[in-house]
Amino acid sequence: VPVVQLDGITREQFLRDIYPRRKPVVLKGLELGTCTAKWTADYLSQAEGSKEVKIHVSVAPQMDFLSKNFVYRTLPFDVFVRRAAEGKHKDYFLSEEEKYYLRSVGEDARKDIADIRKEFPVLAEDVQIPEYFEKEQFFSSVFRISSAGLQLWTHYDVMDNFLIQVTGKKRVVLYSPRDAPYLYLSGTKSEVLDVDNPDLEKYPLFVRAKRYQCLLEAGDVLFIPALWFHNVVSEEFGVAVNVFWKHLPAESYDKSDTYGNKDPTAASRAIQILDRALKTLEELPEEYRDFYARRMVLRIQKKAYRNDDG
């Protein structure tokens, strides 16, 4: 299991012993600032006051980005925090047991990258983000608040990141990039919503995906390497901060990417070329199309797959 627990690891140890292995790791005992002690619901409400935030509201605890089983709503931050922290609501949008989720975005979500120092400057003062990367590699810092019981869909990001669990507990289920063929992907997201009780008639190959799991306590930091799939359940009302950084050269990434989940530009080009090649195969009868498609798969495996067990 690649999720291991290490107490108070230094930047040098992380870069030497952990980072090159490209496996998820839980880091414990890191210095995160005063946030772990201070960030109660009351303190959060007072610190950032009534500025408006855009949130996800869902009746179902399992949020599904593909079918969009949630709505976006706007609330004053202090009202949102109080609602997210309670189990049943007197005031609600959809139902008295609805779940809330905040994923901070830049001022203009289409153009600006999330940065806690800009969106939540008072709270940013309380956080000491472990900068185990060079300053110019920094991409974004995302502030997250979830209701208890909320489950986020399985997805991958194209950048490395630390998931810093400031308060509350979170269960994280992870899958290796190599198990992508078994996850029924639609873009960066898996169609398999319930990873604990999957519909195996609909998703028979899912049983082949090897599951890794960890439980993050307050103060834990999970290193999620780029391309590793993750599915997150908030066991309790909790606050987290994600920091994303660029593992590849800066020019490898899509310049219009504000979320850190657009495929690298070379990968996007390759997929477009492949789509054109598949379109060309349609000129052939089915028997030939099938044969040459299989040859193309073998060619891709021979030329592009890694040969190790990585």
Side-chain angles (χ1 to χ4, degrees), residues 140-172:
S140 66
S141 51
V142 179
F143 183 63
R144 301 182 191 268
I145 297 181
S146 302
S147 294
L150 186 79
Q151 184 167 14
L152 210 55
W153 54 86
T154 305
H155 67 284
Y156 71 88
D157 301 294
V158 299
M159 295 184 196
D160 292 342
N161 82 86
F162 279 150
L163 172 55
I164 303 163
Q165 191 62 27
V166 180
T167 69
K169 290 180 183 173
K170 225 168 230 163
R171 187 198 77 174
V172 186

Side-chain angles (χ1 to χ4, degrees), residues 40-190:
T40 62
D42 286 343
Y43 173 78
L44 292 168
S45 301
Q46 290 162 7
E48 294 287 354
S50 59
K51 71 170 165 200
E52 297 211 318
V53 287
K54 190 177 181 182
I55 54 169
H56 302 69
V57 182
S58 177
V59 173
Q62 287 173 334
M63 285 175 61
D64 181 0
F65 194 82
L66 297 171
S67 72
K68 296 285 196 299
N69 67 343
F70 54 85
V71 296
Y72 293 104
R73 291 291 182 267
T74 303
L75 279 176
F77 182 73
D78 51 356
V79 175
F80 156 68
V81 169
R82 284 199 296 276
R83 285 210 206 171
E86 63 192 16
K88 281 196 174 182
H89 314 293
K90 288 196 182 78
D91 299 310
Y92 52 85
F93 295 107
L94 306 170
S95 83
E96 61 180 11
E97 293 186 350
E98 65 193 15
K99 307 288 185 188
Y100 297 89
Y101 172 59
L102 167 69
R103 185 249 191 242
S104 68
V105 293
E107 194 171 340
D108 181 337
R110 287 166 303 179
K111 293 189 299 189
D112 299 326
I113 288 156
D115 187 338
I116 190 174
R117 293 166 297 189
K118 293 176 183 171
E119 289 101 48
F120 298 92
V122 178
L123 295 176
E125 293 288 314
D126 301 334
V127 189
Q128 188 176 317
I129 288 173
E131 291 191 5
Y132 288 12
F133 48 88
E134 298 301 323
K135 283 233 182 316
E136 61 271 17
Q137 290 178 282
F138 171 83
F139 176 71
S140 66
S141 51
V142 179
F143 183 63
R144 301 182 191 268
I145 297 181
S146 302
S147 294
L150 186 79
Q151 184 167 14
L152 210 55
W153 54 86
T154 305
H155 67 284
Y156 71 88
D157 301 294
V158 299
M159 295 184 196
D160 292 342
N161 82 86
F162 279 150
L163 172 55
I164 303 163
Q165 191 62 27
V166 180
T167 69
K169 290 180 183 173
K170 225 168 230 163
R171 187 198 77 174
V172 186
V173 172
L174 302 118
Y175 301 97
S176 162
R178 294 213 169 175
D179 282 342
Y182 316 131
L183 296 179
Y184 297 87
L185 296 183
S186 177
T188 62
K189 299 158 187 73
S190 169

Side-chain angles (χ1 to χ4, degrees), residues 285-302:
E286 185 181 24
E287 181 186 358
Y288 283 77
R289 196 163 65 235
D290 180 273
F291 173 71
Y292 285 102
R294 290 172 193 273
R295 280 196 60 191
M296 285 167 69
V297 169
L298 291 171
R299 195 174 178 86
I300 290 170
Q301 287 176 333
K302 185 177 179 182

